[in-house]
Amino acid sequence: FPVTISEGIETALAASRLFSVPVWAATNATLLESWIPPEGVKRVVIAADNDESFTGQSAAYSLARRLMRDGYEVDVRIPERQGMDWADVHQMAGESVE
């Protein structure tokens, strides 16, 4: 079954609604980068932040490289606009993540 991982809780809630999949929140970029999928997961969607500092993107692609090397199917999704995360995208669509 697929699972999505994101940095923060608000981003996880938004990604869950936007992508219609279960989502885990890693809390921050460092923990995102070191995240280990639960047993039974074969496909991981990484809902990355589009940070101006590239911190979110870097953590997401580092995780993606490791997971692919370990045999997972990986999809990295990043909002189009710089400085945004998936909670921002969800809010712009006119919905709250609460």
Side-chain angles (χ1 to χ4, degrees), residues 1-67:
F1 63 91
V3 69
T4 298
I5 181 70
S6 71
E7 280 186 50
I9 293 170
E10 293 86 0
T11 301
L13 290 169
S16 178
R17 290 185 179 166
L18 290 166
F19 308 142
S20 299
V21 293
V23 179
W24 289 47
T27 309
N28 60 46
T30 301
L31 294 175
L32 174 76
E33 196 170 353
S34 63
W35 181 76
I36 298 170
E39 192 171 318
V41 169
K42 306 242 184 267
R43 182 171 186 266
V44 176
V45 176
I46 303 169
D49 294 355
N50 191 346
D51 297 326
E52 292 180 12
S53 66
F54 298 101
T55 301
Q57 301 94 310
S58 176
Y61 284 113
S62 177
L63 173 60
R65 277 191 304 275
R66 179 172 52 83
L67 293 178

Side-chain angles (χ1 to χ4, degrees), residues 50-92:
N50 191 346
D51 297 326
E52 292 180 12
S53 66
F54 298 101
T55 301
Q57 301 94 310
S58 176
Y61 284 113
S62 177
L63 173 60
R65 277 191 304 275
R66 179 172 52 83
L67 293 178
M68 287 191 73
R69 184 182 63 231
D70 292 344
Y72 293 90
E73 181 182 337
V74 180
D75 179 17
V76 178
R77 298 184 186 178
I78 300 173
E80 290 182 21
R81 291 173 80 190
Q82 191 172 36
M84 295 186 77
D85 61 25
W86 290 107
D88 298 323
V89 172
H90 193 263
Q91 186 174 18
M92 286 182 63

